[in-house]
Amino acid sequence: MDAKQETISVVVRLRPLIERELNSCCKEEWLAEDSTVRTADGTKRFCFDGVYGKSHQTQALYTQAVKPIVTSCMEGVSGTVFAYGQTSSGKTHTMYGSVQDPGVIVLALRDIFALQEMATEREFLVSISFLEIYNERVIDLLSNDPDKKVSVIIERTKSTLRNVKEEIVTSVDEVLNLLSKGEAQRHIGETNMNERSSRSHTILRLAIESRCREEDGVIWNSVLNLVDLAGSERVSESGASGTTLKEACNINSSLSSLCLVIRQLSENSSYISFRDSKLTSILMSSLGGNSRTLIVCNITPAVYDQSQRTLNFASIAKTVKNKPVVNESVSDEAYRKRLEKQMESLKEQLLKMTCQKDRVEAENERLVRQMETSRVADENPRFGQLAEEQLSERQRVLHQMETLSRYCGASGIDDDDSSTGDVPAMLLRRRTWAPNSRRQLPDSGALRRCLLGAIGEEPPPPPPPPPPAPSLPSLPTASSQQQQQIFPPVGADSFDDN
């Protein structure tokens, strides 16, 4: 699954006027207003994810902007926080702070070990390394050998450090003691702009590994980079010379490379100049990579042009997109178990989808039938009424047919017999009136066939007619003369005898 993109978070912090500026009667050229930085005359405005004025403590900045990144690191997502700005703008104070106002590094360390104690279902291993980039050379501040060479290996989408000492830590105090040891070896100088000017970039790297106590083989690996950048400076204002001038040139060159990479990323350039400096090489995964990144831009309210350049850089940086992902290493056994769980989950989803498909198809068929019925009813408004009338008529005819059938059976009349049979005397006329006549009864078979035809059923065929009665042989007919000879007229002989 593709990682979700998110832009680099950018916040701006304005420090109060320092003693040098107050003595010079400097005025505030830039003002903080909610999430906006504007000029004193209101002609220019810049909007960011957060703006913190002189009344805000570092704790407010940390809670709103930095803590979400620290929490993500405890869940396997790498993060980077770095302070950017001109010299003497308050970058080091933001990152390291003081006893009264702890900086981002101290607050992050407190949360890391507090979250470690709260996550009882996981076990953690935290280790740190402390690096310095001085005149384009990477120095291991935790090593006792100042001449040890640290190499930066650039791979396709990330960079790795070799020959770097890592110390496993279990508490905030251990980390602070190691930081004090490294700070003692850091390059610091004095200029006209800053009595304690950082002449190098420092990177505190915390490698956080964790695994679930109940599941072996899956390890989360994340790195939290806390970066204090050296400030850009104008040689004409800082008064740098000799070694300090060389340091200023390298600092400005490194920051220029960072600005170039930010611009290329914002423009989706096909080539990104990560190799141009050690700083961009080490922060490769933090700039357009797979980590979450926060840039804290510090500006000096009494300086107009340098602060505007910082704000322009911040405006471009907030358009750069990263793709944060959980960094994990999985053993073969853990990977197999994970695949089995995924397969079981997919089977359950498939079963649910199949049941849902059957329900949808049944509902579709019901709706189709309902639509067809509605369509027929719309075409013939009397469709439903006629259907009910036909059903009622059919039931009425069937009832009459059953009634007649029971009547015919009770009368002893055979439906298929048209002879007299044993007809009850009550159904015949009196024999003294017409001995050869009988009462004409209705043909129940014909009536049933008629009723069946009326309700739309096929009536049975009528019974065949009875065969004709056999004819008797005809007798010869005598002539009138023969009849007179055989049967003489009555009284003829007596007449003659007289």
Side-chain angles (χ1 to χ4, degrees), residues 293-306:
T293 303
L294 169 68
I295 301 178
V296 182
C297 291
N298 297 78
I299 64 173
T300 302
V303 179
Y304 183 86
D305 53 350
Q306 286 285 80

Side-chain angles (χ1 to χ4, degrees), residues 423-434:
V423 181
M426 61 177 294
L427 298 179
L428 298 177
R429 293 182 181 271
R430 293 179 60 183
R431 295 181 183 275
T432 54
W433 291 353

Side-chain angles (χ1 to χ4, degrees), residues 212-326:
C212 185
R213 298 181 186 275
E214 299 179 357
E215 181 180 355
D216 297 333
V218 181
I219 301 175
W220 287 349
N221 303 284
S222 63
V223 176
L224 177 61
N225 297 306
L226 302 174
V227 186
D228 178 22
L229 297 178
S232 60
E233 59 185 64
R234 289 181 176 177
V235 177
S236 58
E237 297 178 356
S238 64
S241 62
T243 302
T244 307
L245 177 61
K246 180 181 178 181
E247 293 170 350
C249 291
N250 283 293
I251 290 171
N252 291 337
S253 175
S254 178
L255 294 175
S256 296
S257 297
L258 175 62
C259 293
L260 176 61
V261 168
I262 292 292
R263 183 175 295 276
Q264 290 173 340
L265 289 171
S266 66
E267 297 173 352
N268 295 321
S269 177
S270 59
Y271 176 75
I272 311 298
S273 305
F274 288 113
R275 298 176 182 268
D276 289 357
S277 71
K278 298 295 185 182
L279 176 64
T280 54
S281 298
I282 295 175
L283 298 180
M284 183 176 179
S285 61
S286 304
L287 303 173
N290 62 354
S291 67
R292 302 185 66 185
T293 303
L294 169 68
I295 301 178
V296 182
C297 291
N298 297 78
I299 64 173
T300 302
V303 179
Y304 183 86
D305 53 350
Q306 286 285 80
S307 297
Q308 182 175 351
R309 291 181 60 183
T310 301
L311 295 174
N312 290 334
F313 167 82
S315 298
I316 297 174
K318 70 179 184 178
T319 64
V320 177
K321 295 182 179 180
N322 288 354
K323 295 182 180 180
V325 296
V326 176

